[in-house]
Amino acid sequence: MRAVVRPLSLPADRRVLVISDIHGNLPFLKGLLKKVQFSTDDILLVLGDILEKSTGGLDTLRYLMDLRRTHTLFFLQGNCENVTLDFLNGAWPDQAAAQYGNFWGEKCAWVSMAHQAGVDVSDPKAFPAARQAIEALFPEELAFLRAMPTILLHEHYLFVHGGVPREHHLETLSARACMKNDAFLDQGHRFQRWVVVGHWPVTLYHPDIPSAKPLLLPDRHIASIDGGCTLKADGQLNALILPREPGGAFSYRAYDGFPVMTALASQAPSPDPLNIRWGHSALKVLSLGEEFSRCRHLETGRELDILTDYLRQGPQGTYCLDSTDYLLPVTAGERLAVVRRTSRGALAKKDGVTGWYLGPLGEG
């Protein structure tokens, strides 16, 4: 299927916010919209992946469908919306669809839809009945998903979920390649317009210091905004705020839902930190502990302590959820979002950057 490209006009007198990769996290979406004081004077662009990876996908989709009745919203289809449409179109081999559905369960939108329609989809033999039942029970939601374009094209911006290789002949591109375009920033593209994407959590681009805030590359005119909402234990939902005038400065706001506490002591940043992230997380456990385990990161050979309940076993051996040994730079009196408190200190965030704070914390 080819990319669907739609022109976009943005009035100069209205604030424009861009979000992506909500992944069914309705509390984060509501929290972010409240934080930015989203109003009918604003324009909101949603760059896809409203669905999948959590049980709140359908509720989040319906919330946004209702919101567009009173506010100005534009939507793009992400690869996670395409998961549902591919299932309904029979685009996946039945065994592949069954494997995906059984793995994600209720966190998969089409599985949740099928269950609400009273169809058990653990066996591919039920797929024809499930497709029919989903089409009958969810006509508005499916029409909404199917109406989403792949690309929104503005005079100064190109909005797409995953990425594009060029700015011309966009209608000839594969829609799926535009939506599921992994590690887009690593492909070396440069553009005349600003190309704004989601899909790939920005922390995956940082081998040293984990950061979830939007990643802006002015020399290449690329903005990547996926803050790892839902997918990362320390993830956040970002809103990129476009400049009022072409060539102006971008800004952003984020919501992560973590409690905020006050650092009571200062702390210097640690040199040469490591950000262990998805795709680079293979480990050897040297000493297993109740709270922390001493591990060797196989890619770098570095030894560090990892939270024991972040350890996982996969087909290729032991790996971990995103982890770091970075000590945040902190000045006494600063407020930190606390991801997790441990016997050694707190895993915390400051301006979207995750690291450890080893000093005492106060309320508020």
Side-chain angles (χ1 to χ4, degrees):
M1 187 174 69
R2 297 301 179 188
V4 177
V5 183
R6 290 201 185 137
L8 177 67
S9 177
L10 298 172
D13 60 342
R14 298 178 69 181
R15 186 175 63 154
V16 181
L17 304 105
V18 190
I19 65 175
S20 188
D21 297 85
I22 307 165
H23 289 297
N25 198 327
L26 186 54
F28 272 39
L29 174 60
K30 289 182 176 179
L32 179 60
L33 294 180
K34 181 178 180 180
K35 188 171 183 177
V36 300
Q37 297 181 313
F38 180 62
S39 76
T40 54
D41 294 329
D42 300 321
I43 297 173
L44 179 65
L45 276 60
V46 183
L47 304 191
D49 279 11
I50 299 165
L51 301 175
E52 299 298 307
K53 318 297 182 172
S54 80
T55 58
L58 289 177
D59 288 340
T60 305
L61 179 66
R62 290 172 179 141
Y63 176 81
L64 287 168
M65 290 172 65
D66 287 339
L67 191 63
R68 68 172 180 157
R69 304 181 199 280
T70 54
H71 296 67
T72 305
L73 281 77
F74 295 93
F75 296 89
L76 288 177
Q77 190 177 118
N79 57 293
C80 285
E81 282 71 52
N82 194 241
V83 165
T84 293
L85 300 180
D86 273 354
F87 172 75
L88 293 174
N89 295 335
W92 287 11
D94 281 355
Q95 288 303 320
Q99 184 177 13
Y100 180 91
N102 289 333
F103 178 82
W104 286 105
E106 288 288 332
K107 295 181 179 181
C108 168
W110 62 260
V111 170
S112 179
M113 288 174 166
H115 289 171
Q116 290 182 45
V119 182
D120 180 359
V121 286
S122 57
D123 188 334
K125 292 178 181 178
F127 286 178
R131 292 183 178 108
Q132 186 175 13
I134 290 170
E135 293 281 3
L137 191 60
F138 300 96
E140 291 186 26
E141 292 88 346
L142 296 179
F144 184 77
L145 295 179
R146 287 174 171 139
M148 291 176 173
T150 317
I151 294 168
L152 290 169
L153 191 62
H154 179 267
E155 180 184 3
H156 302 293
Y157 301 100
L158 187 156
F159 302 97
V160 62
H161 179 68
V164 291
R166 59 179 186 265
E167 294 177 73
H168 58 277
H169 301 307
L170 296 168
E171 68 284 349
T172 68
L173 296 174
S174 158
R176 178 170 174 78
C178 292
M179 291 184 284
K180 186 169 173 53
N181 193 324
D182 296 352
F184 174 61
L185 270 60
D186 294 337
Q187 297 168 19
H189 301 301
R190 295 174 182 271
F191 301 96
Q192 295 300 312
R193 295 177 177 87
W194 271 93
V195 175
V196 184
V197 302
H199 180 63
W200 198 249
V202 293
T203 190
L204 300 181
Y205 292 115
H206 298 287
D208 46 9
I209 297 174
S211 173
K213 58 186 177 182
L215 186 53
L216 303 177
L217 303 178
D219 59 327
R220 296 168 58 189
H221 280 185
I222 300 175
S224 185
I225 68 171
D226 180 1
C229 175
T230 300
L231 300 183
K232 305 294 182 182
D234 57 346
Q236 62 191 43
L237 186 60
N238 293 323
L240 183 70
I241 304 172
L242 302 188
R244 292 283 188 174
E245 299 291 336
F250 291 89
S251 60
Y252 91 100
R253 301 295 297 276
Y255 182 85
D256 60 21
F258 295 116
V260 175
M261 303 188 75
T262 300
L264 301 181
S266 297
Q267 172 180 282
S270 56
D272 193 26
L274 176 64
N275 177 24
I276 300 178
R277 62 231 189 268
W278 180 82
H280 304 269
S281 57
L283 302 171
K284 179 178 181 181
V285 178
L286 304 177
S287 176
L288 188 66
E290 182 176 347
E291 187 179 23
F292 289 90
S293 293
R294 192 68 176 174
C295 300
R296 179 179 296 119
H297 182 230
L298 297 184
E299 185 175 299
T300 62
R302 292 268 294 273
E303 292 185 11
L304 69 164
D305 291 334
I306 303 288
L307 286 161
T308 299
D309 61 8
Y310 275 26
L311 299 178
R312 299 290 186 271
Q313 289 295 322
Q316 305 303 318
T318 304
Y319 67 100
C320 67
L321 304 182
D322 289 13
S323 300
T324 186
D325 59 358
Y326 181 53
L327 297 182
L328 287 170
V330 177
T331 300
E334 282 191 297
R335 301 172 79 231
L336 305 174
V338 178
V339 179
R340 178 171 181 154
R341 300 189 75 171
T342 76
S343 62
R344 300 184 184 181
L347 186 63
K349 292 177 66 181
K350 175 183 170 183
D351 190 24
V353 175
T354 298
W356 291 92
Y357 171 69
L358 307 183
L361 289 164
E363 295 299 325

